[in-house]
Amino acid sequence: MRVLVTGGAGFIGSHIVDALLTAGHVPVVLDTLPRSHHLPDVPWFQADVRDAELVARALAGVDAVCHQAAMVGLGKDFADAPAYVSCNDLGTAVLLGAMAEAGVRDLVLAGSMVVYGEGRYDCPRHGVVRPGPRDVADLAAGRFEPLCPHCKEQLVPGLVGEDAPTDPRNVYATTKLAQEHLAASWARSTDGRAVSLRYHNVYGDRMPRDTPYAGVASFFRSALERGEAPQVFEDGAQRRDFVHVEDVAAANVVALAALPERPAGTLRAYNTGSGDPHTVGEMARELAVAHGGPEPRITGEYRLGDVRHITASSQRLREELGWRPRVAFAEGMARFALAPLRGEEPRRGITGAS
């Protein structure tokens, strides 16, 4: 199979290219970055995904697309909104339009868990509830846990499934949901088949150094490399699902193989997480111990666009496609603690999940 990987030089995309090669496929890279030294023989188009002419050239002879190119992370402030919308949504629209013209009908999209907003919560009195955005006054006072919107009691966080309502809480999350809507519309219009892999917190080697657009694992790992203590926001008890990039790459290969069996005209979403939730504080401590660096520091600071708890049930991906994560949390963090980080990359050429 000949597979176009947009963002194929970035953090996750480069691992997908490696996994495709291992599986006997022919990856084609489209990225704003120049050709990678470790992939000298892979067909390569140095281009922005919004460049319709070059995207059309890259699609020649292609059987399927893994769309990873995106501007990622929470960003600095709302002034980033035009760049996010342009890179993520206009870029996806240009790609899908070119796919429609070229007759390419199979797509794996880099989705994200951020489309859910807060995760699943249970109230002892009211069952499953959906708390709204956290109040600024509560955050400033160190009250980080969402409360039941009905009785204001403490909630119990759980695993969110793909059928949960979407509720994006920041610009990046909004653009990731829009990508899914565009892909679903494309599939209906062209009899295409699409899968959205809703990545949870992806980490691992080749992760870029910390920038305002990087994920929390990159922030912590970069601090340790500088000999500084990781700065943990809130109280460190935020629950996340940290999934190794090699497992995410494997999920893309599995999804590509399953696309021909999918009904035409549909998009199917799959949570892509380890199934082994940990707190942000636990992750910071694990990295610090493995790296031999300073103990993390709990700062009490917060960001309005952050959610408190979001952990996935990846049961659908396991049952329907037979995917299983291979890299356990302790092993993955030990490896990541010593892996070299990449230099800062152009925002439009990388993808991931925060």
Side-chain angles (χ1 to χ4, degrees), residues 236-324:
Q238 310 94 300
R239 285 163 52 90
R240 297 289 188 270
D241 187 318
F242 300 101
V243 58
H244 196 272
V245 66
E246 291 176 5
D247 288 328
V248 168
N252 276 267
V253 175
V254 166
L256 280 168
L259 276 171
E261 308 303 319
R262 296 287 313 149
T266 63
L267 178 144
R268 184 73 162 163
Y270 293 95
N271 288 334
T272 307
S274 70
D276 182 25
H278 291 269
T279 69
V280 172
E282 287 172 340
M283 188 265 281
R285 287 190 294 275
E286 195 84 17
L287 274 180
V289 169
H291 190 274
E295 279 285 307
R297 188 174 75 86
I298 306 297
T299 69
E301 297 178 49
Y302 61 88
R303 300 188 299 179
L304 286 179
D306 281 338
V307 297
R308 180 61 174 173
H309 305 295
I310 175 68
T311 56
S313 167
S314 298
Q315 183 176 353
R316 177 186 288 183
L317 183 57
R318 292 170 181 246
E319 291 182 350
E320 294 188 7
L321 302 188
W323 172 83
R324 295 288 187 278

Side-chain angles (χ1 to χ4, degrees), residues 159-246:
L159 301 180
V160 63
E162 291 88 349
D163 294 328
T166 53
D167 183 18
R169 299 285 176 91
N170 56 57
V171 172
Y172 170 62
T174 302
T175 64
K176 296 306 289 184
L177 183 57
Q179 284 184 314
E180 288 195 2
H181 289 319
L182 286 166
S185 179
W186 162 84
R188 288 192 297 271
S189 298
T190 65
D191 280 338
R193 295 165 294 207
V195 161
S196 178
L197 297 176
R198 290 176 175 169
Y199 302 158
H200 280 245
N201 288 72
V202 187
Y203 72 96
D205 57 299
R206 301 182 207 159
M207 201 168 197
R209 298 181 188 280
D210 59 335
T211 74
Y213 309 93
V216 65
S218 173
F219 293 151
F220 294 165
R221 176 64 181 79
S222 298
L224 289 165
E225 189 168 271
R226 296 191 301 267
E228 301 171 0
Q231 306 294 296
V232 181
F233 280 12
E234 301 187 17
D235 58 1
Q238 310 94 300
R239 285 163 52 90
R240 297 289 188 270
D241 187 318
F242 300 101
V243 58
H244 196 272
V245 66
E246 291 176 5

Side-chain angles (χ1 to χ4, degrees), residues 123-126 129-133 135 138 143 145-155:
C123 172
R125 291 175 57 188
H126 296 98
V129 297
R130 294 187 57 77
D135 186 83
D138 286 338
R143 296 187 293 268
E145 293 291 342
L147 300 178
C148 176
H150 308 295
C151 65
K152 305 303 179 185
E153 292 297 319
Q154 189 84 19
L155 298 173

